Amino acid sequence: MTLPQTRFVDVGGTRVRVRETGDPAGEPVLLLHGIGRSLEDWDPQHEFLSRYRVVALDLAGTPQLVDAVGGIEVCTERPVVDPVLGPVVEGSGTVELDGPTAVRFASAAGTADSSPANRVRRQQRVLAAALGDALSTASLLTPGAPGRSAAGVS
């Protein structure tokens, strides 16, 4: 399967690279990679999802995206301290993060919960909080609606 070229869309003032494939009338599927990866990670999956409307986002601009939505709130069970970065989140409970701190939170290693599975969960928290609107079916089906952060995805 030959994949279409990627294009850029504006998401809350941040340029985001996307690739769309599949049936434009199909049920939408949003593919999100982990922090530090790219939308190309999903290239082999497009062929298998061809009956859906598939949108893969490149989240290289995660810090800018988090800042564009005014920061995010995440809930953490314990402080997150990286041996190189130092304290990332000093307390537990609901904390507000700006873009750079959100990326450090998602990628911190050497913490009490630094297993690959827990790092993926932290990445999911960051991405879900930052892309809450874009993850909803309503946003994908009504891209120009007011207040939709995926306004450029059509």
Side-chain angles (χ1 to χ4, degrees):
M1 171 182 199
T2 302
L3 295 174
Q5 293 293 315
T6 61
R7 63 189 176 91
F8 287 91
V9 297
D10 182 78
V11 179
T14 299
R15 282 182 49 151
V16 176
R17 194 168 64 111
V18 301
R19 174 175 286 133
E20 287 186 82
T21 63
D23 181 356
E27 189 76 23
V29 174
L30 183 62
L31 303 176
L32 299 172
H33 61 77
I35 293 174
R37 305 295 304 185
S38 77
L39 66 78
E40 281 81 11
D41 291 351
W42 294 109
D43 285 357
Q45 304 306 317
H46 287 266
E47 181 176 0
F48 302 109
L49 297 169
S50 62
R51 69 182 180 140
Y52 300 97
R53 177 181 176 213
V54 181
V55 179
L57 296 178
D58 198 355
L59 301 175
T62 300
Q64 294 84 1
L65 182 61
V66 170
D67 287 340
V69 298
I72 59 170
E73 285 187 350
V74 296
C75 185
T76 182
E77 296 80 18
R78 64 187 60 82
V80 176
V81 179
D82 184 278
V84 174
L85 302 172
V88 177
V89 174
E90 296 191 28
S92 59
T94 301
V95 295
E96 293 186 27
L97 305 175
D98 63 8
T101 306
V103 171
R104 288 193 307 272
F105 170 77
S107 59
T111 67
D113 64 346
S114 65
S115 72
N118 285 330
R119 289 178 72 189
V120 167
R121 284 187 201 99
R122 288 198 310 271
Q123 289 178 9
Q124 289 171 333
R125 289 179 193 173
V126 167
L127 296 177
L131 295 171
D133 261 351
L135 293 174
S136 73
T137 299
S139 286
L140 293 173
L141 294 177
T142 56
R148 300 290 187 213
S149 53
V153 180
S154 58

